[in-house]
Amino acid sequence: DWKRVSKDGTVRWLGGTFSPLADAQGRWHKVLFCGRDVTEEKETVTALSSEAQAIRRSQAVVEFDPTGIVLNANDRFLQLTGYLLEDIVGRHHKMFVETDFASSSRYAEFWLKLGRGEYDSGEYKRIGKDGKEVWIQASYNPILDPDGRCVRVVKFAYDVTPAKVANAEYRSKVEAISRSQAVIEFDLKGHVLSVNPNFTALMGYELEEVRGKHHKMFCDEATVNTPSYLAMWEQLAKGEHKSGEYRRLAKGGTEVWLQATYNPVFDLNGPRTICSNSRGRFWKPAMTQVPLGFSARL
């Protein structure tokens, strides 16, 4: 292809051939150019190339043949796994997975699927050099020839290990609280969404008896009609923390006094749940958790 400038200064790309022409005596006397405007195709290829380079700069990239043999990898992939390029080229992808999974039918089907040209994506656990555990968010992209046959597979990935570890730690803490405390979940208006077994043991209600009902069912009528009770839910919805000693009613009207805290739980846009902890007479740890609402320990 040749870059040319038109009369108005516009850059055009021409694709074609220059053919010298001879006269009757065999002397070269002119050149014939046969070609066409390939500017649009050139710009498209350039844009795609730039996009591919941008992806390779920002993500870990590794290429395989259709059976899973490593062909190439970029620096980000090598940094992620701890290997040098010569350590992995020519070896099978199974070097990055646990032994049991590598010998499973599920893993074999994974590569058969890619070899058929089918795309795969998700979150994967992989093993780097010296047994380093790595969690990645990745896509495996079959590259097809004009006949639709897979000729290689390109994987784009980024490291989600820190987030995975943080989430596992968070879940462990939440589960530890739930095991030791009663948990009830409310929406932002105070309606029950869920309870844990400790809540059932403390208050005597099963989930189906309270789901969808308002927190006021655990209070006497005098409490529910006070301005402070209405204000409490308005304040919690605004993300304000509440704590104190509260009188509550278990199933059958049994009186329970609790030292409790109501803690709004936030997402990126504000309060989504309320978590309440409590101690008192007849106390067993009770914590209300609320997806998209409040979680309170009663």
Side-chain angles (χ1 to χ4, degrees):
D1 296 340
W2 290 273
K3 182 180 180 180
R4 296 292 183 259
V5 179
S6 63
K7 183 177 180 180
D8 62 2
T10 303
V11 173
R12 309 301 298 177
W13 285 87
L14 302 178
T17 59
F18 287 89
S19 304
L21 300 179
D23 60 15
Q25 287 73 41
R27 294 173 299 190
W28 303 111
H29 70 109
K30 62 172 129 178
V31 176
L32 175 66
F33 174 73
C34 297
R36 64 187 183 90
D37 186 352
V38 295
T39 304
E40 185 175 344
E41 292 94 324
K42 187 75 173 179
E43 290 175 346
T44 299
V45 170
T46 300
L48 291 174
S49 176
S50 297
E51 290 175 5
Q53 291 175 19
I55 292 172
R56 289 174 180 273
R57 284 194 298 269
S58 63
Q59 296 190 30
V61 182
V62 58
E63 299 180 24
F64 306 93
D65 75 7
T67 68
I69 301 298
V70 178
L71 302 175
N72 200 4
N74 70 351
D75 288 341
R76 283 195 173 274
F77 180 83
L78 298 175
Q79 293 165 5
L80 178 62
T81 59
Y83 286 107
L84 298 175
L85 185 59
E86 54 265 32
D87 295 332
I88 63 174
V89 169
R91 298 181 64 184
H92 196 274
H93 173 272
K94 66 178 62 176
M95 69 182 291
F96 304 118
V97 304
E98 294 175 314
T99 303
D100 290 346
F101 181 56
S103 60
S104 68
S105 58
R106 181 183 169 194
Y107 182 71
E109 177 55 31
F110 173 77
W111 278 102
L112 289 174
K113 172 184 174 180
L114 293 172
R116 293 193 297 266
E118 299 177 30
Y119 166 91
D120 196 89
S121 67
E123 190 174 85
Y124 308 90
K125 179 182 179 181
R126 295 296 181 247
I127 307 300
K129 190 173 184 179
D130 299 325
K132 174 186 176 184
E133 184 177 296
V134 178
W135 284 89
I136 58 173
Q137 185 70 40
S139 64
Y140 290 79
N141 307 274
I143 306 301
L144 309 180
D145 67 11
D147 296 320
R149 294 172 299 194
C150 177
V151 293
R152 61 192 172 102
V153 176
V154 181
K155 177 172 78 174
F156 299 102
Y158 57 92
D159 186 8
V160 294
T161 307
K164 191 76 174 179
V165 171
N167 287 338
E169 181 178 351
Y170 171 76
R171 285 196 303 271
S172 295
K173 290 178 179 178
V174 171
E175 289 169 1
I177 292 172
S178 185
R179 285 192 298 269
S180 63
Q181 300 186 4
V183 178
I184 180 171
E185 302 184 12
F186 303 95
D187 65 17
L188 290 175
K189 294 183 178 180
H191 297 98
V192 178
L193 300 174
S194 180
V195 300
N196 77 344
N198 287 334
F199 174 87
T200 296
L202 174 65
M203 302 298 285
Y205 289 104
E206 297 295 333
L207 174 59
E208 294 310 314
E209 296 180 275
V210 298
R211 192 202 305 268
K213 295 184 179 179
H214 196 273
H215 172 272
K216 66 179 64 176
M217 70 180 291
F218 306 117
C219 306
D220 57 42
E221 187 174 349
T223 298
V224 170
N225 292 327
T226 61
S228 60
Y229 181 77
L230 298 175
M232 181 183 79
W233 285 101
E234 292 176 356
Q235 291 163 358
L236 290 172
K238 294 176 182 178
E240 298 179 22
H241 168 90
K242 302 293 292 183
S243 65
E245 189 174 85
Y246 302 93
R247 179 177 180 270
R248 296 291 181 252
L249 300 179
K251 188 175 182 178
T254 303
E255 182 181 81
V256 181
W257 280 91
L258 305 170
Q259 182 64 43
T261 61
Y262 288 79
N263 307 285
V265 179
F266 297 82
D267 67 7
L268 296 178
N269 297 309
R272 302 294 282 176
T273 65
I274 302 295
C275 172
S276 165
N277 307 332
S278 62
R279 295 177 182 272
R281 264 183 293 169
F282 308 111
W283 175 81
K284 293 181 182 177
M287 169 181 165
T288 39
Q289 299 176 344
V290 193
L292 308 183
F294 306 105
S295 177
R297 294 180 190 168
L298 299 178

